[in-house]
Amino acid sequence: MNSPASLRVLYVDDDPDIREIARMALELDESMSVATADSGLQALSILRSSSHDLVILDVMMPNMDGPETLKKMRAEPPLASIPVVFMTAKA
């Protein structure tokens, strides 16, 4: 029996392959519902229009990197308290 997703996660990464692998891996835990974004700008748009419990941000992205995205989130009261985890695939 499938349990309803209780943790809503937004995974943000500019690399489509990494984004898809991370989404699939996170969704192995049936308690998670995972949305994805390909940029900091898209992440902010998604966060403004739907509720999420956790954001996983790539550190290095073009145009608006992870730290800048976090800074903008913290400046908006509805987004300011969402926990953020930074991840990077830099080798």
Side-chain angles (χ1 to χ4, degrees):
M1 181 171 136
N2 289 340
S3 61
S6 59
L7 183 66
R8 295 156 306 194
V9 178
L10 178 61
Y11 184 86
V12 187
D13 196 304
D14 61 309
D15 184 300
D17 294 331
I18 293 172
R19 208 169 45 245
E20 182 64 12
I21 291 167
R23 184 195 58 76
M24 289 177 6
L26 290 167
E27 286 183 340
L28 289 173
D29 181 337
E30 293 180 359
S31 71
M32 288 190 196
S33 169
V34 182
T36 62
D38 63 9
S39 68
L41 288 174
Q42 185 181 38
L44 290 172
S45 176
I46 290 169
L47 291 168
R48 289 173 183 137
S49 65
S50 60
S51 177
H52 287 82
D53 302 304
L54 174 68
V55 176
I56 303 173
L57 277 174
D58 186 14
V59 174
M60 297 176 8
M61 294 182 287
N63 301 320
M64 184 186 299
D65 64 10
E68 182 65 21
T69 303
L70 176 62
K71 182 178 177 181
K72 290 190 181 295
M73 285 176 63
R74 295 302 182 245
E76 295 187 34
L79 309 181
S81 64
I82 301 172
V84 172
V85 174
F86 281 109
M87 292 185 63
T88 188
K90 183 178 178 183

